[in-house]
């Protein structure tokens, strides 16, 4: 009888135990420094591209009355435009878009690396191409060195986009898993803001590479102190090490036996599930896969990465009376704050509502930006343009905020909510590959599109695509908030047992 009472007491104690969070938060912050480092690589494109654009080109683009004589390629008085790094729009497109080429490759190899080297080992290896890329860009003597450096930085971006969220969600306790999982996106936007601010303080694009590379060096040091994921260790048959790792994350006084048993059971079930390409044709898999792929495409067709990569140039061309440096920093700060706010809204307002709200507000705000450029193009009334000097900044603040609370995080979150565990890896690989493919397409074609259909035409095109995505979300995207996986599968006609 005494043994029964003792067992019941132990059970009650186990159910009421709360795991410690300190080590979990420290590990999340350390791992997410990789996201901040690649965020700086993404943000670097904006101030650097502005430096690669000749002042003579700026004046030619903004003066429709310039004669043929004045548009001939003539170095400016300080001979600055004769330097090799003053690039034409095609070369700038390659510079901005080449990071996404590396990210695409990184996504493809990341799945192999995290299973071969482990989560910690993959993070350690991933930072090497980023640092090499910064070195190449910093000492670059031609466009090829710039592009290769960007591709190397993109390789780290692609790898980290898979390994960091995977690592964090595997060790995180259920009560804070969502918050820690969203840390990657938050640190990524913080890295972009870091690059924007540094671009204001550091005039030379060469020295800016060193400032941005510091984040990679910090992460390289921090990763040595990380504990390996208990899931990975258990999958490799290292139960004793997995036990020590889980105990470290939960605290010395926490009873981990129940979690250890759950981990063993989930690994056994995962081994039984083998998904082939033919399985993707099943309606209950194909339908959610089509939705996720569409969301990934619409995420990039909104033009968000084209805006982030070229935000300094956008403000410079808009003719706003607010300094481009201050405008860029404000937009970057808003992006960080909106991303942080999204973690509070996701489980309260739901995925579908936020996606529709995000798409609708993005369509309106980016079209307003197009109006500014249309008036500037058509009107010779400088006073009218000056009176609208507040609109470019306001439009981009609203645009970035809307993206950050909806279309930024939700496609990635829903990717984990619409598939069985055995399908997630293949579906995730397809979705991530498609996403980075469209990142390259949009960023590479941004400036050529500006030349072909003018600035206002590009922004109205993005606005129309955002409106199309609004209709898509309203009609076809299901709500997954508070739904179990079985409920979601039942929605698509899948098995529920």
């Amino acid at each position: 009888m005494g043994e029964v009472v003792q067992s019941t007491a132990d059970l009650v104690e186990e159910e009421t135990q709360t795991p410690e969070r300190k080590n979990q938060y420290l590990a999340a912050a350390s791992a997410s420094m990789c996201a901040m480092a690649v965020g700086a690589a993404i943000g670097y494109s904006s101030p650097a591209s502005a430096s690669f654009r000749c002042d003579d080109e700026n004046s030619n683009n903004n003066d429709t009355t310039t004669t043929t004589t004045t548009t001939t390629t003539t170095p400016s008085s300080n001979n600055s435009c004769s330097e090799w790094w003053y690039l034409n729009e095609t070369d700038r497109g390659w510079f901005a878009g080449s990071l996404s080429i590396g990210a695409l490759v990184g996504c493809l190899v990341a799945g192999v690396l995290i299973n071969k080297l482990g989560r910690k080992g993959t993070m350690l290896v991933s930072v090497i191409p980023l640092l090499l890329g910064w070195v190449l860009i910093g000492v670059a003597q031609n466009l090829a060195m710039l592009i290769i450096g960007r591709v190397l930085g993109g390789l780290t971006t692609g790898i980290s986009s898979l390994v960091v969220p995977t690592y964090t969600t595997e060790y995180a306790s259920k009560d804070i898993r969502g918050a820690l999982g969203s840390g990657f996106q938050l640190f990524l936007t913080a890295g972009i803001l870091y690059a924007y601010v540094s671009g204001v303080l550091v005039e030379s694009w060469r020295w800016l590479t060193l400032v941005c590379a510091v984040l990679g060096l910090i992460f390289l040091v921090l990763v040595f102190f990380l504990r390996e994921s208990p899931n990975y260790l258990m999958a490799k048959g290292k139960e004793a090490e997995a036990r020590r790792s889980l105990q470290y994350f939960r605290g010395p006084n926490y009873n981990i036996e129940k979690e250890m048993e759950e981990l063993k059971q989930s690994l056994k079930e995962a081994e039984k599930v083998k998904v082939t390409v033919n399985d993707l044709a099943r309606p209950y898999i194909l339908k959610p896969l089509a939705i996720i792929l569409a969301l990934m495409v619409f995420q990039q067709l909104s033009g968000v990465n084209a805006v982030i990569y070229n935000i300094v140039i956008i403000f410079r061309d808009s003719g706003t009376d607010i300094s481009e440096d201050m405008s860029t920093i404000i937009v970057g700060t808003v992006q960080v704050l909106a991303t942080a706010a999204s973690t509070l809204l996701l489980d309260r307002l739901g995925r579908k509502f936020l996606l529709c709200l995000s798409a609708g507000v993005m369509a309106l705000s980016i079209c307003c930006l197009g109006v500014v450029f249309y008036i500037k193009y058509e009107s010779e009334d400088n006073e009218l343009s000056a009176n609208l000097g507040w609109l470019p900044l306001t439009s981009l603040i609203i645009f970035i905020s809307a993206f950050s609370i909806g279309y930024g995080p939700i496609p990635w979150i829903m990717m984990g909510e619409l598939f069985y565990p055995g399908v997630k890896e293949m579906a995730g690989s397809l979705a991530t590959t498609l996403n980075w493919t469209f990142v390259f397409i949009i960023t590479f074609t941004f400036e050529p599109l500006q030349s072909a259909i003018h600035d206002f035409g590009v922004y109205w095109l993005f606005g129309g695509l955002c409106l199309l995505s609004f209709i898509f979300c309203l009609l076809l995207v299901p709500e997954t908030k508070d739904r179990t996986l079985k409920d979601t599968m039942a929605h698509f006609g899948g098995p529920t047992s």
Side-chain angles (χ1 to χ4, degrees):
M1 185 69 178
E3 291 181 359
V4 174
V5 173
Q6 181 64 37
S7 299
T8 303
D10 290 343
L11 182 60
V12 172
E13 180 184 359
E14 180 180 317
E15 290 178 349
T16 57
Q17 254 190 325
T18 302
E20 293 184 9
R21 298 180 176 182
K22 182 184 69 173
N23 289 338
Q24 296 187 63
Y25 285 137
L26 288 174
S30 298
S32 295
M33 274 302 300
C34 187
M36 191 169 181
V38 299
I42 294 172
Y44 173 83
S45 175
S46 181
S49 293
S51 298
F52 296 152
R53 192 179 187 187
C54 183
D55 290 338
D56 287 354
E57 182 184 353
N58 292 333
S59 61
N60 289 340
N61 288 344
N62 295 326
D63 186 0
T64 57
T65 62
T66 304
T67 62
T68 305
T69 304
T70 59
T71 58
T72 57
T73 305
T74 304
S76 60
S77 59
N78 61 3
N79 203 35
S80 61
C81 293
S82 63
E83 300 290 352
W84 68 266
W85 60 76
Y86 284 97
L87 311 177
N88 59 40
E89 66 179 28
T90 301
D91 291 340
R92 290 195 301 270
W94 276 109
F95 174 76
S98 53
L99 183 137
S100 56
I101 297 175
L104 181 59
V105 176
C107 291
L108 297 176
V109 303
V112 177
L113 292 178
I114 63 173
N115 291 322
K116 293 289 185 182
L117 303 179
R119 283 47 164 165
K120 177 180 177 178
T122 301
M123 285 188 281
L124 182 60
V125 170
S126 71
V127 76
I128 296 175
L130 177 67
L131 295 176
L132 290 176
W134 284 128
V135 171
L136 268 180
I137 295 174
V139 301
Q141 299 300 315
N142 50 56
L143 177 63
M145 294 179 72
L146 289 176
I147 291 178
I148 294 172
R150 292 285 287 172
V151 170
L152 289 172
L155 192 63
T156 300
T157 303
I159 296 172
S160 66
S161 66
L162 176 63
V163 66
V164 174
T166 298
Y167 172 73
T168 304
T169 55
E170 283 183 347
Y171 76 72
S173 54
K174 295 178 181 179
D175 56 329
I176 56 173
R177 185 172 297 157
L180 295 186
S182 62
F184 182 86
Q185 187 70 18
L186 180 60
F187 273 71
L188 186 76
T189 57
I192 294 172
L193 176 59
Y194 175 86
Y196 288 170
V197 174
S198 300
V200 173
L201 301 176
V202 181
E203 293 185 2
S204 169
W205 59 269
R206 290 191 188 274
W207 284 107
L208 184 58
T209 61
L210 178 61
V211 175
C212 291
V214 168
L215 296 180
L217 291 172
I218 293 174
F219 172 71
L220 183 62
V221 174
L222 292 176
V223 73
F224 281 103
F225 297 97
L226 291 176
R227 297 292 183 98
E228 183 55 87
S229 158
N231 297 51
Y232 171 76
L233 293 171
M234 183 65 77
K236 294 299 180 180
K238 301 178 180 180
E239 183 174 344
E241 293 181 39
R243 184 179 295 276
R244 286 194 295 270
S245 175
L246 186 59
Q247 193 72 70
Y248 167 80
F249 287 118
R250 298 296 180 267
N253 299 320
Y254 186 82
N255 188 347
I256 64 170
E257 294 307 317
K258 183 180 179 181
E259 279 196 69
M260 286 295 295
E261 287 302 316
E262 291 175 349
L263 180 56
K264 291 178 185 178
Q265 188 62 33
S266 65
L267 290 173
K268 287 180 181 178
E269 292 177 357
E271 290 176 357
K272 297 177 183 178
V273 181
K274 294 185 181 294
V275 180
T276 65
V277 175
N278 293 332
D279 293 326
L280 298 181
R282 297 177 183 176
Y284 65 88
I285 297 178
L286 183 61
K287 290 177 182 178
L289 178 60
I291 289 173
I292 287 298
L293 294 180
L295 288 177
M296 291 298 181
V297 172
F298 279 127
Q299 183 191 69
Q300 296 308 320
L301 291 181
S302 69
V304 65
N305 275 303
V307 170
I308 291 173
Y309 286 9
N310 298 280
I311 196 165
V312 173
I313 292 176
I314 291 172
F315 280 120
R316 182 176 297 176
D317 290 349
S318 69
T320 177
D321 52 2
I322 305 173
S323 74
E324 63 197 43
D325 291 338
M326 182 57 66
S327 299
T328 300
I329 292 173
I330 291 173
V331 171
T333 303
V334 167
Q335 185 179 20
V336 174
L337 296 176
T339 302
S342 70
T343 61
L344 303 175
L345 298 174
L346 282 171
D347 292 324
R348 297 185 181 185
L349 300 181
R351 282 61 160 155
K352 184 185 181 79
F353 175 80
L354 285 177
L355 280 172
C356 292
L357 178 66
S358 176
V361 175
M362 282 195 297
L364 180 62
S365 57
I366 202 73
C367 284
C368 287
L369 183 62
V371 169
V372 175
F373 281 92
Y374 180 76
I375 292 175
K376 186 173 182 291
Y377 177 79
E378 289 288 342
S379 176
E380 296 181 0
D381 187 351
N382 293 329
E383 184 177 349
L384 178 61
S385 298
N387 290 335
L388 293 174
W390 55 272
L391 190 54
L393 177 59
T394 304
S395 298
L396 285 179
I397 285 176
I398 296 173
F399 177 80
I400 291 294
S401 298
F403 177 84
S404 298
I405 65 171
Y407 251 102
I410 291 178
W412 302 103
I413 292 173
M414 292 190 70
M415 190 165 63
E417 296 177 331
L418 292 179
F419 303 107
Y420 287 117
V423 184
K424 285 181 183 179
E425 185 174 343
M426 187 175 296
S429 178
L430 287 172
T432 307
T433 300
L434 186 65
N435 185 279
W436 282 106
T437 299
F438 272 84
V439 172
F440 172 75
I441 292 172
I442 296 301
T443 54
F444 180 75
T445 59
F446 179 66
E447 288 204 57
L449 275 174
Q450 285 179 305
S451 298
I453 60 176
H454 303 292
D455 303 80
F456 57 86
V458 175
Y459 300 128
W460 288 344
L461 174 62
F462 289 151
L465 292 170
C466 287
L467 182 60
L468 184 61
S469 71
F470 169 81
I471 297 172
F472 172 81
C473 292
L474 186 65
L475 298 179
L476 298 175
V477 175
E479 179 57 74
T480 57
K481 173 180 173 287
D482 296 332
R483 283 189 177 184
T484 64
L485 182 59
K486 289 183 179 180
D487 293 336
T488 304
M489 287 297 99
H491 174 83
F492 292 109
T496 58
S497 59

